[in-house]
Each structure stands twice: as C-alpha cells, then as structure tokens.
Amino acid sequence: MMTRRDAIRTVTLAAGTLALAPSLLRAEQSSMPASLTYPFKLPGLGYPYDALEPYIDAQTMQIHHDKHQGAYVENLNKALASADPQYQKWTLQELLTKLDEVPENIRTMVRNHGGGHYNHSLFWLMLKKNENGKPTGDLANAIDKAFGSYPAFQQKFSEAAARVFGSGWAWLVYGDGNLEISSTPNQDNPISKNEKEIPLLGIDVWEHAYYLKYQYRRPEYIKAFWNAINWDFVAERYAEATKTA
Ligand code: MN
C-alpha cells in the first residue's frame, strides 16, 4: 500500500522539472492548492476526523474542514466567478502574493477566503497525532540555533499564539536564512507580506479551531497542539525552503 509520503514522493518526481515559485514547495504538490487555479475545490482532510483525538476532537475537525474551509472555497470561487477571466487563471499562490494587483472589488474576498483556503490546506498537512513529538535533524538544529532550545521555541511560539487578539494565526517561518516566529490576523498568510517568508508551521487560533472542546481556554488548546504536529512534514518544508532560498 502506498503511504501518503510515498504518494508525495511520486508526485514530486513527476513535478520535478517544473519551475517552482520559492514558496511553492514540492512537498505541497499533491494536496496543497497553491499551484491550482479557479474553480477551487475542497481537498480531502487526508485522515479520519478523529485522528487527532484527544488533542483536537473529531467534531471540531469535521466542522472545521467541511464547513469552514468549505465556505472559504465557495466564497473564493464566487468572487472569482464575477472577475475578469484573466484572474481566474492565477494560481492561489499568485492571488495571495499579488493581492495589490487583484481588482479592488474582489480583493478583500480573495484575501480572506483565498487565505482561508490556503491556510487550512496547509494546516491539515501540518497536523498528525504525535505525542511529545519533536523536530529532528537539520530542523531541530536550526530551531536550537534560532531560539536556544526546543522548549524555548515552544514557549515563544505559544506566547505568540496566545497573544493573537481575536482571530488569526501564529507561524514559524523561514525567510532570509532565518527561522522566525510571527503572527497574522484573520486569514492572512506570511507570503502575502513577503513571498520569501515560507510558513513551516502554523497554528489556527480562531475560536472555531478549539471552542467546542476548550471553550475560552485557548492556552490549553495551544498546549495540546504540541502533541499533534507532523514534524516530518515541517522538516520537509524546511529542507525545501533552505534549498530554494
Ligand atoms: Mn480555521
């Protein structure tokens, strides 16, 4: 049976000759919509809704994927349906990195719903039940170098996630040869600020991401998140990012 990693590798080989934008990582080819164009489709979650229990509950995952991301895809398509056909040929990556060239009447829709589609597609790939999982190899060394230690990184990332006022995301990004922690409001992604800032890991701190299980206790959700990170995927993104940078 082919695992998802094998599938990604197979697609990677097939796509190996394509010229890729710096942040369009090869590991994303199979399930990331970055290189896809209108009309966008909701990708599958890639694992059962209950795969991250007890850290992220099945009902949250189902509603989050099917309804929230589903609505982002639908609304992004609605905005583009009314736009000049030239914009329907732009990839999701292009739409988000050239937002100031998107017609003003659909720009906010593309920013919010295109960003929502992009962020969630990435988020599902970053998650995997992985109790007390830790980064390894080059990524672990880079985290130690940038933040002092893995616990120090966890603390700084958790603080950034807790500090987001209202809805948004906290990120570990690679840009300019460095690892950095940042946050974005709403459904913004670091690539819209700077295409060379490649998000390696992100946490969704919209209430819809945790409220059913954790209610107002966002710090508890953030603590649980450390047991649900697909560090292999994050390490692959880091390896690709350092190669293309
Ligand atoms: Mn969300």
Side-chain angles (χ1 to χ4, degrees):
M1 208 183 93
M2 217 158 79
T3 66
R4 196 167 65 87
R5 284 177 71 84
D6 290 338
I8 287 169
R9 285 223 177 82
T10 306
V11 174
T12 300
L13 290 176
T17 53
L18 294 175
L20 299 171
S23 52
L24 180 51
L25 307 175
R26 277 180 292 162
E28 292 174 355
Q29 290 296 303
S30 61
S31 44
M32 263 303 282
S35 59
L36 302 181
T37 55
Y38 171 90
F40 292 97
K41 291 186 191 70
L42 178 64
L45 182 58
Y47 40 79
Y49 297 121
D50 65 359
L52 307 173
E53 290 268 10
Y55 304 107
I56 304 176
D57 62 287
Q59 194 186 11
T60 294
M61 290 301 288
Q62 183 170 8
I63 294 171
H64 200 174
H65 173 269
D66 297 6
K67 304 301 178 188
H68 290 279
Q69 189 178 8
Y72 296 132
V73 172
E74 203 184 309
N75 287 319
L76 175 61
N77 285 336
K78 255 188 227 163
L80 288 166
S82 67
D84 186 297
Q86 65 166 303
Y87 300 103
Q88 299 172 354
K89 295 192 183 78
W90 284 21
T91 64
L92 186 56
Q93 181 89 14
E94 288 174 308
L95 288 166
L96 294 177
T97 53
K98 298 192 291 184
L99 269 174
D100 52 354
E101 294 171 44
V102 171
E104 213 177 341
N105 65 322
I106 62 164
R107 194 179 301 152
T108 301
M109 288 282 282
V110 168
R111 178 178 187 163
N112 290 339
H113 298 282
H117 183 30
Y118 189 98
N119 288 348
H120 288 83
S121 299
L122 198 51
F123 190 50
W124 312 134
L125 293 168
M126 291 166 167
L127 299 178
K128 183 190 175 184
K129 188 169 175 176
N130 186 8
E131 278 153 346
N132 301 310
K134 286 182 180 60
T136 55
D138 290 346
L139 175 63
N141 293 335
I143 285 175
D144 286 348
K145 198 174 153 214
F147 305 104
S149 66
Y150 181 64
F153 157 70
Q154 283 181 297
Q155 193 185 338
K156 209 173 165 200
F157 185 93
S158 297
E159 281 168 6
R163 261 202 317 267
V164 173
F165 182 74
S167 299
W169 295 72
W171 305 97
L172 171 67
V173 300
Y174 178 84
D176 226 2
N178 295 309
L179 290 180
E180 283 167 21
I181 288 168
S182 67
S183 62
T184 53
N186 305 311
Q187 294 298 353
D188 288 359
N189 186 286
I191 59 165
S192 295
K193 254 185 298 180
N194 179 353
E195 191 175 6
K196 294 199 166 106
E197 287 216 350
I198 301 176
L200 303 179
L201 176 67
I203 181 170
D204 184 347
V205 293
W206 282 59
E207 283 187 345
H208 70 221
Y210 61 86
Y211 207 86
L212 290 177
K213 184 175 170 77
Y214 297 99
Q215 293 89 43
Y216 59 91
R217 303 184 302 277
R218 189 194 287 184
E220 272 183 42
Y221 158 68
I222 296 168
K223 205 173 158 195
F225 174 75
W226 296 109
N227 295 300
I229 298 172
N230 186 347
W231 280 114
D232 288 342
F233 178 73
V234 180
E236 274 175 40
R237 288 181 68 78
Y238 175 71
E240 291 296 335
T242 52
K243 231 184 282 170
T244 53

